[in-house]
Amino acid sequence: MRKTFKLEDLDCANCAAKLEKAISEIDGVTKASVSFIAQKMIVEAEEQDMDKVIAAIPKAAKKAVPDCTVII
């Protein structure tokens, strides 16, 4: 299952890479892709894991890139 999230205040490509790495490390995530230019993040996970993944995204994102907000 694939879900797209809008990002606010993602300031640089380095921050996008940090965010992508942090989201990729969440249990259940099979793939995460962050676009600095589009201010979007695509997360892939098994359907049964998606609710758990979505719940974990804000905390992981704030830890990796404190100024960025993930719109869920």
Side-chain angles (χ1 to χ4, degrees):
M1 177 177 212
R2 175 185 277 194
K3 190 108 170 121
T4 302
F5 301 93
K6 186 175 176 163
L7 304 172
E8 287 185 351
D9 300 324
L10 185 62
D11 295 331
C12 65
N14 186 42
C15 294
K18 280 191 216 176
L19 181 58
E20 187 172 297
K21 183 178 185 306
I23 301 302
S24 294
E25 293 174 352
I26 295 173
D27 282 344
V29 172
T30 55
K31 184 179 179 185
S33 177
V34 176
S35 171
F36 164 64
I37 300 298
Q39 297 282 299
K40 288 193 329 187
M41 173 173 66
I42 299 171
V43 178
E44 293 182 19
E46 294 297 323
E47 190 168 351
Q48 67 269 18
D49 295 334
M50 190 54 86
D51 289 340
K52 176 179 71 166
V53 167
I54 291 171
I57 286 173
K59 184 177 179 182
K62 279 293 177 202
K63 187 173 181 183
V65 187
D67 295 336
C68 180
T69 304
V70 179
I71 307 301
I72 295 190

